């Protein structure tokens, strides 16, 4: 494996400072993953009757072999599992895997709506989780982190089939997607899930495959990115509402959209040689047909490995941001903080103030935006404002 580039990243210490106040806190040792190809750890190869490119070189080239992941190496859930101190989470369709620390239900081409072939919709992934929930104890399910990235293919298909939609049509479609996501999150909550980590959608019009298909590779395609923005706004609103409605519902919301947008525009600032073209593929920005005949020699110089998925280096940066960035990027808790939150968050304000008083001025400025009682509406609304003008966090 190639040596990763050196990184610096911000970690918040609020949860550690508050830990003495919660003698029953138990860090999650279980991770459940739902989503599409960005999170797929190998499920696609178990359902497809056709060749699955991710199961063949050059996929996996940085780690020495293809693993069914749509990247040159590790993906975001792999890094988050490592940060949690547990093994990489195996695909649920691998019947011989060890699922003691969770399962990965994500699969390439997954959607929220519809019923595409040779994949699992979001609803089908949740059904698969429900069918297998007895593999884990009720305590493990309640302490687990539930990780999600889903919806990209819904909006890419919508934009392709509706090149000039009205504002009402756009909003109506987003509402359908969000309503379906809400129903599935409530199913997981009903099985005992309490800690939810969501990565919002990328600027879909900036994907090399989308730009190349549009014919203008110098600019991101407007409609797919606009649909992603509408979705992201509604998704955050949904999480705030669920945290008010459902007792013990806790969440982490990562602004993936801004992270990718900034890395496309200013790639060298974030250690990449380019955020425009993919490492592997054909066409003006290598947007399609990744194979051993058309792959770069240094994937770590690229943000995208193929036309739709990140390189291992890109995934590593995203993993660090989700794990430990400040509230401008991820909130109301980053994933590291989410692990420390007790399942029943009843904290005296004096405890929070005492912990914050022990911080340095810089830490206090960052953390004063979010305390452990983030479910209170005033603090939630403050974070909505912060996300609305978010800027990318430099690792």
């Amino acid at each position: 494996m190639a040596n990763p580039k050196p990184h610096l990243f911000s970690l918040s210490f609020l949860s550690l400072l508050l830990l003495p106040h919660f003698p029953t806190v138990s860090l999650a040792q279980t991770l459940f993953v739902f989503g599409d190809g960005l999170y797929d750890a190998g499920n696609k190869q178990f359902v497809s009757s056709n060749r699955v490119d991710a199961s063949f070189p050059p996929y996996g080239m940085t780690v020495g072999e293809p693993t069914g992941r749509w990247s040159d190496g590790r993906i975001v859930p792999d890094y988050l599992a490592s940060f949690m101190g547990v093994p990489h989470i195996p695909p649920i369709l691998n019947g011989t895997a060890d699922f003691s620390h969770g399962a990965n239900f994500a699969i390439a081409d997954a959607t929220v709506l519809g019923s595409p072939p040779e994949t699992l919709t979001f609803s089908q992934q949740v059904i698969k989780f429900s069918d297998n929930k007895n593999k884990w104890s009720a305590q493990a399910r309640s302490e687990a982190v539930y990780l999600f990235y889903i919806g990209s293919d819904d909006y890419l298909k919508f934009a392709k089939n509706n090149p000039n939609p009205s504002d009402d049509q756009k909003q109506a479609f987003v509402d359908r997607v969000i309503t379906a996501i809400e129903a599935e999150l409530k199913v997981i909550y009903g099985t005992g899930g309490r800690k939810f980590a969501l990565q919002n959608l990328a600027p879909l019009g900036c994907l090399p495959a989308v730009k190349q298909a549009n014919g203008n590779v110098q600019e991101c395609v407007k409609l797919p990115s606009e649909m992603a923005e509408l979705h992201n706004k509604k998704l955050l609103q949904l999480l705030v509402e669920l945290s008010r409605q459902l007792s013990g519902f806790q969440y982490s919301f990562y602004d993936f959209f801004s992270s990718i947008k900034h890395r496309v525009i200013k790639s060298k600032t974030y250690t990449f040689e380019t955020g425009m073209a993919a490492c592997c593929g054909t066409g003006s920005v290598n947007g399609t047909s990744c194979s051993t005949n058309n792959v770069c020699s240094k994937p770590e110089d690229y943000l995208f490995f193929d036309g739709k998925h990140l390189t291992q280096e890109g995934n590593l940066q995203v993993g660090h941001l989700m794990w430990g960035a400040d509230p401008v990027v991820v909130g109301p808790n980053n994933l590291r903080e989410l692990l420390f939150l007790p399942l029943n968050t009843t904290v005296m304000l004096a405890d929070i103030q005492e912990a914050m008083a022990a911080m340095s001025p810089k830490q206090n400025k960052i953390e004063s935006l979010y305390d452990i009682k983030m479910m209170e509406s005033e603090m939630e609304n403050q974070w909505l404002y912060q996300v609305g003008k978010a800027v990318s966090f430099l690792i």
Side-chain angles (χ1 to χ4, degrees), residues 274-296:
T274 179
M276 299 285 288
C279 163
C280 185
T282 60
S284 53
V285 286
N286 301 333
T288 60
S289 305
C290 175
S291 74
T292 53
N293 296 324
N294 50 41
V295 63
C296 69

Side-chain angles (χ1 to χ4, degrees), residues 252-267:
S252 175
F253 184 84
Y254 164 53
D255 186 15
F256 185 52
F257 186 100
S258 293
S259 293
I260 294 301
K261 183 178 180 180
H262 286 233
R263 282 159 176 76
V264 168
I265 297 171
K266 300 179 180 180
S267 53

Side-chain angles (χ1 to χ4, degrees), residues 22-231:
F22 305 112
T24 60
V25 165
S26 176
L27 298 185
Q29 292 291 291
T30 309
L31 177 64
F32 297 111
V33 182
F34 302 84
D36 58 21
L38 208 67
Y39 281 1
D40 187 356
N43 278 315
K44 185 70 170 181
Q45 60 193 335
F46 294 103
V47 301
S48 180
S49 58
N50 300 309
R51 172 190 165 98
V52 175
D53 289 342
S55 299
F56 296 89
Y59 291 90
M61 59 184 288
T62 300
V63 294
E65 62 179 355
T67 63
R69 291 162 171 80
W70 299 83
S71 181
D72 59 301
R74 294 181 173 88
I75 56 176
V76 171
D78 296 331
Y79 287 112
L80 296 180
S82 295
F83 299 158
M84 289 171 62
V86 301
H88 293 174
I89 306 302
I92 188 62
L93 298 181
N94 181 356
T96 62
D98 178 1
F99 297 110
S100 57
H101 291 284
N104 187 321
F105 300 85
I107 183 170
D109 304 317
T111 58
V112 177
L113 305 176
S115 54
E118 297 190 335
T119 189
L120 297 173
T121 63
F122 186 34
S123 175
Q124 290 169 331
Q125 292 177 33
V126 175
I127 290 172
K128 182 71 70 175
F129 166 72
S130 297
D131 290 344
N132 288 273
K133 67 180 182 181
N134 290 333
K135 284 182 167 67
W136 306 277
S137 68
Q139 180 178 351
R141 296 198 305 271
S142 67
E143 294 176 347
V145 170
Y146 295 79
L147 178 67
F148 305 87
Y149 182 84
I150 191 72
S152 292
D153 285 328
D154 292 274
Y155 294 112
L156 290 174
K157 291 175 183 177
F158 175 85
K160 182 178 180 180
N161 296 331
N162 303 273
N164 296 293
S166 67
D167 289 343
D168 287 345
Q169 288 174 318
K170 296 174 192 174
Q171 196 59 64
F173 187 77
V174 171
D175 288 344
R176 286 180 60 203
V177 173
I178 295 297
T179 298
I181 290 175
E182 178 181 8
E184 302 309 326
L185 294 182
K186 286 182 175 178
V187 170
I188 294 174
Y189 177 88
T191 67
R194 292 297 181 268
K195 299 188 176 189
F196 295 79
L198 287 92
Q199 176 177 330
N200 74 10
L201 296 184
L204 301 176
C206 297
L207 301 179
V210 177
K211 290 193 296 184
Q212 186 168 303
N214 188 61
N216 180 4
V217 299
Q218 298 305 314
E219 297 181 359
C220 296
V221 185
K222 181 179 178 181
L223 181 57
S225 292
E226 182 183 2
M227 296 302 294
E229 281 193 287
L230 291 171
H231 170 91

